[in-house]
Amino acid sequence: MAMGSYVRNAWYVAGWSNELETAKPLAVSILDEPIVLFRGESGAVHALEDRCVHRLAPLSLGRCEGDHLRCMYHGLLFDTDGKVVEIPGQDLVPKDARVRSYPVVDRHSWLWVWMGDPAQADEALIPPAVGLDDPNYILGHGFLDYDAEARLINDNLLDFSHLTYVHANSFGAGPEFAQSLPKLEPLERGIRYTRWTTSTYGQSARKSDTPVDSHMTYDFLVPGVLLMTGGNYPEGTAAKLDFGRPAIADAIGGVTFTSQAVTPTAPRTSRYFFSWGPHVQHGDEKVRDALMGMADMAFGEDKVMIEAQQKVIDRTPNPRVMPTAHDKGVTIFNRLVERLAKEGGTAANQENTACP
Ligand code: FES
Ligand SMILES: [Fe+2]
């Protein structure tokens, strides 16, 4: 089964940095390509095709030696570029004996892998997520595996009208989410979503005893990274700012940050990474744990709906959607993905072209 249309020239989250131990290779899959991540003795992280050139054994079952990786089937030794540097019992190493190596960066507590042309790997394109070590936030984190294509999870994150229905029990979103439209602004590599709710007692993470103006905003960036913050402000703030962006320092409560990343692992599976927690001035470990409990419940609700949706789509001969007013963000983002996928080649038609 071919991958759908995904952008290759983008940084995909391959895992949490703290889950990759030194000298313990880790098998992951991105865009249906088997990849082995390993942290060498130097501390540097490397990403290679997880498929030995000899007899296609997974290198993730291999052994780290310094910053090299040895296949533990018949002992071929690979350097960090994926080149074979030693073949036991044979002096000559063929010049083209190598596996693909992927640019990989350890940043914001995530391991980011560039799936496109390595020559175009630009670290400036790594979305500005908030790492677990950020002194301003107290974050919990995790990931969830989905039996659904990443595109459906992206669509879910681009249309928050589902909060009213899917998350009636967890986030406790009121009807206003589905009844009103957010402000949307296209970005070069994504879309910015913003909404003010005025004179509210807040909802989910931002409940308040007195009426406040509640702000939330997120950027949703290629290939599927959501960076969301928000907080409560004195009543009247939204009007004073002409519904513009407030300064976090002016918030009177409820400031949180969540980073989320959707990684297509195969045509019908995905891994969904997330962190969430309060700003240090708006909560502590207890608030973080409460938010993570809420997130576990809510993300489970999304998973039930999206995996069921996938099953229906799969048994529909020519699946077509009928967009509503809330699909504006979905449509803008998916058009951007189509364009970038065409410019940089898609997963389906650029298989292994970066291989020398
Ligand atoms: S399969 Fe890797 S050395 Fe034989
Ligand atoms: Fe959701």
Side-chain angles (χ1 to χ4, degrees):
M1 194 187 289
M3 288 297 298
S5 198
Y6 289 101
V7 181
R8 285 209 73 95
N9 282 334
W11 295 98
Y12 285 83
V13 173
W16 284 104
S17 174
N18 61 11
E19 282 166 13
L20 185 65
E21 292 173 46
T22 301
K24 289 224 172 114
L26 179 70
V28 299
S29 176
I30 305 176
L31 294 178
D32 210 18
E33 292 179 23
I35 295 173
V36 54
L37 298 169
F38 64 102
R39 198 186 292 279
E41 263 164 30
S42 71
V45 178
H46 312 287
L48 299 180
E49 181 184 347
D50 192 10
R51 180 164 36 207
C52 181
V53 283
H54 178 222
R55 289 188 171 273
L56 315 183
L59 297 180
S60 49
L61 292 180
R63 180 170 76 200
C64 289
E65 298 184 5
D67 270 54
H68 289 183
L69 183 59
R70 189 180 295 281
C71 178
M72 287 305 276
Y73 200 173
H74 313 97
L76 266 65
L77 185 66
F78 295 80
D79 71 8
T80 56
D81 293 331
K83 219 172 135 3
V84 177
V85 292
E86 188 189 312
I87 302 178
Q90 175 178 324
D91 292 336
L92 191 72
V93 176
K95 263 209 306 290
D96 58 351
R98 64 189 306 161
V99 294
R100 181 173 174 180
S101 90
Y102 298 81
V104 55
V105 176
D106 187 346
R107 188 176 293 173
H108 315 309
S109 306
W110 274 333
L111 302 170
W112 303 84
V113 172
W114 178 264
M115 294 301 290
D117 173 7
Q120 294 183 56
D122 178 359
E123 291 187 22
L125 295 178
I126 295 176
V130 170
L132 305 177
D133 54 351
D134 190 300
N136 291 310
Y137 292 93
I138 303 167
L139 301 170
H141 72 290
F143 73 82
L144 260 182
D145 280 327
Y146 260 79
D147 281 323
E149 55 190 307
R151 190 176 55 88
L152 298 182
I153 308 172
N154 289 347
D155 291 352
N156 166 280
L157 294 170
L158 284 156
D159 175 3
F160 269 23
S161 67
H162 79 271
L163 263 70
T164 302
Y165 303 99
V166 175
H167 302 310
N169 294 328
S170 53
F171 290 144
E176 68 274 8
F177 259 98
Q179 276 164 8
S180 61
L181 297 172
K183 183 173 144 201
L184 295 170
E185 298 161 78
L187 305 171
E188 208 180 314
R189 298 215 13 130
I191 188 160
R192 176 165 295 168
Y193 171 113
T194 306
R195 72 188 304 155
W196 274 105
T197 310
T198 53
S199 302
T200 173
Y201 288 90
Q203 67 267 312
S204 69
R206 306 209 171 86
K207 288 227 185 304
S208 168
D209 297 337
T210 52
V212 291
D213 285 359
S214 190
H215 181 252
M216 67 174 283
T217 182
Y218 65 83
D219 288 353
F220 196 82
L221 304 168
V222 167
V225 176
L226 175 139
L227 305 174
M228 177 159 71
T229 187
N232 291 338
Y233 294 80
E235 237 183 334
T237 302
K240 226 188 279 168
L241 295 175
D242 203 14
F243 292 81
R245 204 176 178 85
I248 282 179
D250 296 336
I252 53 173
V255 176
T256 66
F257 200 99
T258 175
S259 305
Q260 304 178 10
V262 183
T263 297
T265 46
R268 285 289 181 273
T269 61
S270 315
R271 189 162 278 186
Y272 175 50
F273 300 91
F274 54 87
S275 68
W276 196 21
H279 189 278
V280 284
Q281 283 161 13
H282 298 271
D284 51 17
E285 278 76 12
K286 256 199 202 140
V287 172
R288 174 200 61 197
D289 293 346
L291 291 178
M292 288 313 285
M294 198 186 281
D296 281 348
M297 185 174 170
F299 298 161
E301 291 164 344
D302 284 316
K303 188 167 138 77
V304 167
M305 182 60 83
I306 293 169
E307 289 182 345
Q309 176 196 16
Q310 178 79 70
K311 285 201 182 105
V312 176
I313 290 172
D314 285 347
R315 62 189 301 197
T316 305
N318 293 303
R320 289 176 59 118
V321 295
M322 185 209 73
T324 68
H326 278 291
D327 280 301
K328 194 173 163 199
V330 178
T331 306
I332 293 172
F333 185 80
N334 286 339
R335 277 199 196 127
L336 173 68
V337 166
E338 287 291 333
R339 181 167 63 75
L340 293 176
K342 263 193 208 125
E343 281 172 15
T346 64
N349 65 18
Q350 275 233 326
E351 208 80 9
N352 294 327
T353 50
C355 253

